Structures are given as C-alpha cells and as structure tokens.
Amino acid sequence: MIRPPLRAHPLGDSAVTIMFGAERNADLLNQIQAVARSLEAAAIPHVEDIVPAYLALTVFYDSLRTSYEDISGTLIAACDFAKRTKAKAGTTPRAHRIPVRYDGVDLDAVAAATGLSVEEVIARHSGRTYTVDLLGFVPGFAYLSELDASLQIPRRAEPRPRVAAGSVAIAAAQTAVYPLDTPGGWHIIGSTETVLFDPTRDAPALLAPGDTVRFESAA
C-alpha cells in the first residue's frame, strides 16, 4: 500500500508535527512508533522530546538553537529513512504486569451493561495482553488497546470531577490506569498500587508507546 508523502507542520514556536496518514489503523501506528524509536536512537541535535500519536508524531525542539525550517527538513529526512529501512532501533518495548484489585465502583454496572457476570468481566479484562497505543490526556496516561469486544461500552454520560490515581478503567475499545487524581469519564472497574507516573524517576511515565501490559487479578 502506497502512503502519501510525509508532511510537516509547525506546532507553536518550538514543535513540529509530522503527519504520516489520514486513517487510523494498527499498521500505521506501529510504523509511527518504530520511527519514533529510530529518531530517539538518532539523537538529532536540539530535539527535546518525541511524542507519537495515531496519525502523526510531534517533535519538540530548542527553538533558540535551530529554526523550524532546518529542524523540519532534518526530521522529514530522518523519518523517510526510518520508513524505508523499517528501522526499529531505540528503546525496546517492554512487557509489564500490573496487579489489580477488581473493586471498582462501576464494576457491577459494567457487568449489567454487558450482560456478563462480575467474574466474567474480570476474567475477560485480565485475560489478554494490551498494547500501549500512546500517552496523552495527563502525564503518564496510557491508552491501551484492544479491549475484549464483549466489554466495549461507551464512556460515562457524565464524567466524574475526580478519579483517584491508580483507578483501572475501560471505555469503548480501550482500557487505562489513571496515573494522577483527575476528572475522568471512563468506567472504573478496579484499582492498582502500581505508580504510573513519578516525576522523580529517570523516566517519569512507567509505560511507553509500543509496550505491552497484562493485568493480574490480586486479592
């Protein structure tokens, strides 16, 4: 399948967004994540952060030391090279196991909405391996795909003003762990003591795009 050429757009005065496609799919996401890892390994001067998403990746740079024109040209060339060589250099995706107490306030409601027993909800949620699609919303919030089709229900009609850090939740085709106390509209089915975001760590976010996650039921 032939994809359109990469396109770069400025994002504010210190970031470049590079578009890879217009239609979300797993192959495109995998390609963007691989290119992001390749760029990290390349250690391009003046690049400060690389953030992959479903259709694009955004690169933040030091605008006092390079111009948008120079950095965008360098990045397009590097991305094209990574695509052609199918580069997978950089940080290797990691596998995580996260213990969960399935005690969420929405667990019974999810069971009722799906026509499953509570035990079946727990078994189906903990019975598969998820992939980190991307980080967003708040620091360390990882969107995990793909939730069992039998558990896929829309977001809550009314978001809660506060969801506690460590809450394990589902919405549509994804699941996630809230890394911080924050508003949220997903269905809370459990909780974990695993710390998803710690600004004192070398890598503050526990999960990274491309990582895999399995949830394990804990007493």
Side-chain angles (χ1 to χ4, degrees):
M1 175 175 161
I2 298 175
R3 298 194 185 277
L6 301 180
R7 294 176 290 121
H9 304 281
L11 180 65
D13 61 1
S14 59
V16 182
T17 294
I18 301 173
M19 298 299 302
F20 281 72
E23 183 177 344
R24 172 179 163 182
N25 61 73
D27 288 342
L28 181 61
L29 179 61
N30 290 337
Q31 180 187 80
I32 292 170
Q33 291 175 349
V35 170
R37 292 194 294 271
S38 179
L39 293 184
E40 289 173 356
I44 297 170
H46 315 313
V47 166
E48 296 181 336
D49 198 11
I50 300 167
V51 182
Y54 285 113
L55 303 176
L57 65 81
T58 295
V59 178
F60 294 84
Y61 63 92
D62 185 347
S63 58
L64 298 178
R65 303 179 66 187
T66 188
S67 67
Y68 169 79
E69 290 74 16
D70 286 345
I71 196 68
S72 60
T74 298
L75 291 170
I76 288 291
C79 289
D80 274 330
F81 176 78
K83 285 177 59 181
R84 290 196 309 271
T85 58
K86 295 182 169 31
K88 296 182 180 180
T91 304
T92 301
R94 297 163 297 166
H96 304 265
R97 291 186 175 272
I98 297 179
V100 177
R101 293 187 304 274
Y102 284 95
D103 55 2
V105 294
D106 296 321
L107 183 58
D108 288 338
V110 168
T114 58
L116 302 171
S117 67
V118 166
E119 292 74 20
E120 288 172 324
V121 171
I122 295 171
R124 296 186 188 199
H125 184 262
S126 61
R128 61 172 50 202
T129 299
Y130 301 94
T131 300
V132 179
D133 285 351
L134 54 85
L135 302 184
F137 177 47
V138 295
F141 189 100
Y143 291 84
L144 308 177
S145 293
E146 176 82 17
L147 189 65
D148 188 292
S150 65
L151 298 179
Q152 295 181 17
I153 56 177
R155 292 165 54 96
R156 288 172 48 85
E158 294 186 9
R160 291 184 171 92
R162 179 183 176 276
V163 175
S167 295
V168 179
I170 62 173
Q174 295 177 312
T175 185
V177 180
Y178 283 81
L180 305 169
D181 292 353
T182 181
W186 292 28
H187 304 274
I188 302 169
I189 62 172
S191 59
T192 182
E193 294 182 0
T194 301
V195 177
L196 273 290
F197 184 79
D198 180 352
T200 66
R201 290 191 300 222
D202 288 342
L206 176 66
L207 306 179
D211 286 358
T212 59
V213 175
R214 283 194 68 93
F215 294 108
E216 298 179 336
S217 181

